[in-house]
């Protein structure tokens, strides 16, 4: 499809810190509108996982770039298939989240993942979730949302998710991890996490998922 047609395909960009619930909200919004969904964090997690498997350090940008460019990944409904194997659970661990935030500081890695992210933009529309969706990847997004919640609420949500999966978790450690990841994501010089101008600020600390989804859908309708 030519560029001018692609630029007509609406994008809803949802950015925010880790464990803010933006993934759940973004998926629900996509479902309600029949739009495609991009979980951009999964791409950074995959680079974290593959580099780990290959013994490449997260500081080694030169080796990470080709790996990011050549990621053999297929997004299938709610599963992520890496080189023919289901990697959906392997990328969700706290350790891979941390590695993802370490590989994500390199501009070359971010650049290498750009085209792949743009390719998710197809009719009838896309809901993209990440840190730089509204600022860098889809600056022309129709609706931009900065979705957040207090660090305590986010740690509690992450805690419940882990326990529900049968993974043991410790609140203090989780709080510490979230704070570290927030600092790294907001403090890096390339594509830091930030609320871009024109974005709607949504604090979900005291909202249900339904309320948050409703609010994003309302903003999207208002943008027409
Ligand atoms: O959203 P999620 O927790 O899966 O993202 C993992 C890490 O990937 C984030 O902490 C962040 O460092 C990085 N990331 C990013 N840009 C994005 C999405 C994720 O830098 N668009």
């Amino acid at each position: 499809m030519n560029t001018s047609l692609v630029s007509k395909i609406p994008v809803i960009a949802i950015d925010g810190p880790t464990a803010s619930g933006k993934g759940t909200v973004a998926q629900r919004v996509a479902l309600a509108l029949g739009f495609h969904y991009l979980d951009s964090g999964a791409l950074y997690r995959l680079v974290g996982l593959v580099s780990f498997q290959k013994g490449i350090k997260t500081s080694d940008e030169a080796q990470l770039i080709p790996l990011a460019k050549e990621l053999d990944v297929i997004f299938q409904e709610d599963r992520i298939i890496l080189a023919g194997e289901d990697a959906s659970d392997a990328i969700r661990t706290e350790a891979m989240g941390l590695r993802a935030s370490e590989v994500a500081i390199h501009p070359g890695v971010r650049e290498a993942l750009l085209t792949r992210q743009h390719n998710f933009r197809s009719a009838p529309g896309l809901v993209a979730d990440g840190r730089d969706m509204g600022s860098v990847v889809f600056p022309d997004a129709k609706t931009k949302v900065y979705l957040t919640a207090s660090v305590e609420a986010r740690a509690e949500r992450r805690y419940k998710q882990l326990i529900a999966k049968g993974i043991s978790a410790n609140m203090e450690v989780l709080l510490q991890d979230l704070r570290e990841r927030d600092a790294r994501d907001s403090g890096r010089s390339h594509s830091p996490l930030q609320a871009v101008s024109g974005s709607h600020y949504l604090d979900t600390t005291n909202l249900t998922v339904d309320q948050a989804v409703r609010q994003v859908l309302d903003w999207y309708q208002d943008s027409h």
Side-chain angles (χ1 to χ4, degrees), residues 15-19 22 39-45 91-92 96-105 110 117 129-133 137 158 181-182 184-185 188 190-191:
D15 291 304
T18 205
K22 64 189 159 39
D39 170 7
S40 62
L43 294 172
Y44 292 93
R45 286 171 181 268
I91 61 165
R92 291 293 153 212
M96 284 312 141
L98 206 62
R99 274 186 83 83
S101 76
E102 288 168 2
V103 302
I105 65 168
R110 307 196 68 83
Q117 295 178 79
D129 133 27
R131 303 293 185 291
D132 58 347
M133 298 297 98
V137 183
R158 179 56 57 84
R181 207 116 71 81
D182 283 356
R184 192 175 297 122
D185 288 352
R188 68 182 176 220
H190 292 275
S191 315

Side-chain angles (χ1 to χ4, degrees), residues 27-224:
Q27 274 171 290
R28 291 269 302 270
V29 169
L31 196 66
L33 296 168
F35 281 13
H36 301 279
Y37 168 60
L38 165 63
D39 170 7
S40 62
L43 294 172
Y44 292 93
R45 286 171 181 268
L46 285 161
V47 176
L49 177 65
V50 179
S51 59
F52 176 72
Q53 291 167 339
K54 292 191 188 281
I56 298 171
K57 287 196 185 139
T58 54
S59 55
D60 191 344
E61 182 175 13
Q63 290 218 58
L64 292 170
I65 292 172
L67 195 154
K69 274 201 185 119
E70 288 150 25
L71 270 183
D72 175 11
V73 62
I74 301 170
F75 287 82
Q76 257 180 14
E77 313 235 321
D78 62 341
R79 308 314 289 173
I80 295 174
I81 311 298
L82 176 69
E85 298 209 1
D86 192 334
S88 324
D89 296 332
I91 61 165
R92 291 293 153 212
T93 63
E94 287 304 293
M96 284 312 141
L98 206 62
R99 274 186 83 83
S101 76
E102 288 168 2
V103 302
I105 65 168
H106 303 300
V109 171
R110 307 196 68 83
E111 174 72 31
L113 293 176
L114 212 49
T115 308
R116 206 181 279 267
Q117 295 178 79
H118 287 155
N119 289 343
F120 276 79
R121 187 173 194 168
S122 57
L126 174 70
V127 182
D129 133 27
R131 303 293 185 291
D132 58 347
M133 298 297 98
S135 56
V136 176
V137 183
F138 300 109
D140 62 338
K142 208 168 172 58
T143 306
K144 299 182 185 182
V145 178
Y146 185 84
L147 193 151
T148 189
S150 71
V151 70
E152 292 78 12
R154 291 189 281 128
E156 202 178 309
R157 288 174 192 171
R158 179 56 57 84
Y159 181 85
K160 285 187 183 151
Q161 273 176 358
L162 291 171
I163 297 296
K165 283 191 203 154
I167 302 171
S168 70
N170 174 302
M171 267 306 264
E172 280 313 304
V173 175
L174 280 177
L175 266 172
Q176 182 61 26
D177 280 358
L178 286 186
R179 290 198 173 105
E180 267 175 36
R181 207 116 71 81
D182 283 356
R184 192 175 297 122
D185 288 352
S186 309
R188 68 182 176 220
S189 45
H190 292 275
S191 315
L193 169 65
Q194 55 182 355
V196 280
S197 80
S199 63
H200 300 280
Y201 186 85
L202 185 57
D203 183 339
T204 65
T205 307
N206 298 309
L207 295 185
T208 62
V209 173
D210 280 348
Q211 288 171 320
V213 169
R214 189 70 261 150
Q215 179 61 79
V216 176
L217 288 170
D218 285 350
W219 281 328
Y220 175 66
Q221 299 308 338
D222 290 348
S223 71
H224 288 300

